[in-house]
Amino acid sequence: MEAQTTLIQIDARETQVCNRALGGAGMLRLPIGSARPGARSFRNQIPTPLELEEAINGVEDAVMPLARTLPRGSVLVTCDGLARELAALLRLPAPGDAELTLQDVEHVFSQLAAVAQGRPLASSGLPADPAFAGYLVILREFMHHLGFERVTVLREDA
């Protein structure tokens, strides 16, 4: 039996999740996005520790209800540009689809947390982009709380 696919698309203001287990049209819109991952937007290029914590809490609140609905063993897929940027940051091969593990995402999130705590941004290699930080928080929490060990990042022309 082939595993179901869960598609995640994280836009600036909302996150769309598609899986036939969601019923109806098989799509759910979550009120979190890269520009506003929690109750409010990040105010700085790199979020403060408090902003990160608030964003994590907001994302957890939005995604946890899906834990009862999405089937375990589903394959997570995205075609988001910021996911391709994340793959490039991790130096994953550009041609074809890339696969990010939860460990990869956690590694980059740890770098973001260190920068939020005062580590120089230039030493991290992270982009000075609040949307990238918001995207990373959402993807990390989604994968972590819903049991996804990897996400396939489809190439741009897919």
Side-chain angles (χ1 to χ4, degrees):
M1 181 177 180
E2 188 174 316
Q4 284 190 33
T5 299
T6 298
L7 174 68
I8 184 170
Q9 181 178 337
I10 303 170
D11 295 325
R13 297 281 175 214
E14 72 178 9
T15 296
Q16 297 175 31
V17 181
C18 298
N19 183 297
R20 66 177 178 220
L22 295 173
M27 185 179 75
L28 184 63
R29 295 175 191 272
L30 304 176
I32 52 174
S34 60
R36 189 175 173 162
R40 58 180 163 212
S41 302
F42 293 145
R43 291 179 291 281
N44 304 297
Q45 286 182 323
I46 295 297
T48 65
L50 179 60
E51 287 176 326
L52 270 180
E53 189 61 37
E54 289 175 347
I56 289 168
N57 290 336
V59 173
E60 285 175 351
D61 290 347
V63 303
M64 286 309 293
L66 290 172
R68 293 183 300 270
T69 308
L70 289 177
R72 288 285 180 191
S74 175
V75 176
L76 185 61
V77 176
T78 188
C79 56
D80 295 336
L82 286 173
R84 286 191 293 278
E85 189 174 329
L86 179 57
L89 183 69
L90 290 162
R91 294 180 175 82
L92 296 177
D97 301 337
E99 189 171 87
L100 299 173
T101 65
L102 178 57
Q103 185 177 2
D104 292 333
V105 174
E106 289 284 0
H107 173 73
V108 177
F109 180 81
S110 293
Q111 291 178 326
L112 176 64
V115 171
Q117 293 286 342
R119 179 178 164 197
L121 176 64
S123 69
S124 72
L126 296 174
D129 179 5
F132 180 84
Y135 187 93
L136 183 61
V137 168
I138 293 169
L139 184 61
R140 173 190 182 248
E141 295 302 310
F142 192 91
M143 291 177 74
H144 177 75
H145 289 291
L146 299 177
F148 290 103
E149 291 296 318
R150 58 191 22 83
V151 58
T152 299
V153 182
L154 302 176
R155 61 187 184 274
E156 196 166 359
D157 60 351

